[in-house]
Amino acid sequence: MIYETDIYSIEYDAKSKKLVQSMNEALSQNFQRILDFWGIEKLANHVNIKIYSEMDDWIKFYEEKSGSKYQDYVVGCADGPNIYVLAFDEYKKTQQHKNDSLEDFQKIVIHEFVHICHNQLITDPEKTSFIMGEGLATYLAGQGYNHDIKIDYPKYSLFSNDLFSLTNDLYSLSQKIVRQLVEKVPHEKIIEYALDATKLYEDWDELEIKD
């Protein structure tokens, strides 16, 4: 079954039907705010959202899509104009999200929508960074994060593949960095850093991002 608006469509089955209203509510309340943040007047493509109501199907989809082993925290992802999410009932069975609320689930959808808007503006994916991508997605979705996480890592490590071995909570690390950037630099700079992480690397020492 498909629920459709001018902006997005939601593919669901009978088991996940009750989620459509919740997802529609989250998107309608946040859609314009996120477009405005990115300076986007209109999305380039219709957004397609698919709800996976069975964990086995979700794991199979994710592993085929990513080419990597499924990890418990993954309950949503974006690819091009598409958003894929695990249904809330199955989402609650994961160790990482077992205590989450329906509002937390809605924030996953917003998080992925932020990625879609970000991706629309990217001209060179090689210049983007995990920190700005996930930091902005979690920040704009209003997701919780560990305020006490440390940022005292070498600049090189933060902007290389070393990043993925620094901590088991890169989402909190990224959001904490983004929150400090939002307080320190004009909005135009945030967008610039999101599209070209080499600019952030160059400015890093002057920005004095701290714990």
Side-chain angles (χ1 to χ4, degrees):
M1 294 177 277
I2 295 179
Y3 172 87
E4 189 152 9
T5 74
D6 291 340
I7 309 300
Y8 57 86
S9 58
I10 303 174
E11 182 180 344
Y12 63 98
D13 60 17
K15 189 175 179 180
S16 56
K17 183 178 181 180
K18 62 183 180 181
L19 289 176
V20 174
Q21 181 178 350
S22 175
M23 294 173 73
N24 187 49
E25 175 184 312
L27 286 166
S28 62
Q29 289 179 356
N30 291 277
F31 176 80
Q32 194 59 52
R33 174 179 65 87
I34 293 170
L35 285 184
D36 290 345
F37 177 90
W38 290 107
I40 295 174
E41 292 187 9
K42 183 179 180 181
L43 289 173
N45 298 290
H46 189 79
V47 177
N48 305 298
I49 304 167
K50 181 173 181 178
I51 304 173
Y52 281 80
S53 62
E54 300 292 341
M55 178 63 79
D56 288 346
D57 292 339
W58 172 250
I59 292 174
K60 180 180 179 182
F61 157 76
Y62 178 79
E63 291 187 342
E64 289 179 352
K65 193 75 174 172
S66 67
S68 60
K69 184 80 173 169
Y70 175 72
Q71 298 183 66
D72 185 72
Y73 71 88
V74 180
V75 290
C77 64
D79 178 38
N82 306 305
I83 294 175
Y84 306 96
V85 292
L86 179 63
F88 185 61
D89 289 346
E90 296 297 299
Y91 164 107
K92 289 279 288 181
K93 294 176 184 177
T94 66
Q95 190 63 31
Q96 186 74 22
H97 299 284
K98 62 183 180 181
N99 296 319
D100 282 7
S101 65
L102 185 58
E103 182 181 0
D104 293 319
F105 171 81
Q106 290 176 312
K107 289 177 179 179
I108 295 290
V109 180
I110 302 309
H111 177 118
E112 301 307 335
F113 182 67
V114 173
H115 282 316
I116 284 183
C117 293
H118 186 184
N119 291 340
Q120 179 169 315
L121 298 180
I122 292 171
T123 56
D124 186 351
E126 294 297 318
K127 289 185 176 181
T128 59
S129 69
F130 181 97
I131 287 173
M132 292 305 296
E134 297 302 337
L136 281 169
T138 54
Y139 167 68
L140 289 171
Q143 292 170 294
Y145 72 106
N146 176 10
H147 295 235
D148 297 323
I149 196 164
K150 301 298 183 184
I151 310 176
D152 55 350
Y153 300 106
K155 177 172 72 170
Y156 173 80
S157 295
L158 291 169
F159 291 89
S160 70
N161 286 332
D162 291 353
L163 172 68
F164 301 98
S165 62
L166 297 182
T167 173
N168 61 1
D169 193 358
L170 287 173
Y171 289 85
S172 286
L173 177 70
S174 298
Q175 186 175 163
K176 190 170 184 180
I177 289 172
V178 162
R179 284 181 174 277
Q180 290 194 40
L181 288 173
V182 168
E183 293 176 356
K184 290 173 179 286
V185 303
H187 181 74
E188 293 76 14
K189 269 290 181 185
I190 298 295
I191 302 300
E192 181 181 29
Y193 292 155
L195 301 180
D196 187 352
T198 63
K199 302 292 186 182
L200 178 57
Y201 186 88
E202 292 168 359
D203 294 348
W204 186 260
D205 294 333
E206 294 180 8
L207 290 166
E208 297 185 338
I209 303 296
K210 302 177 180 178
D211 293 335

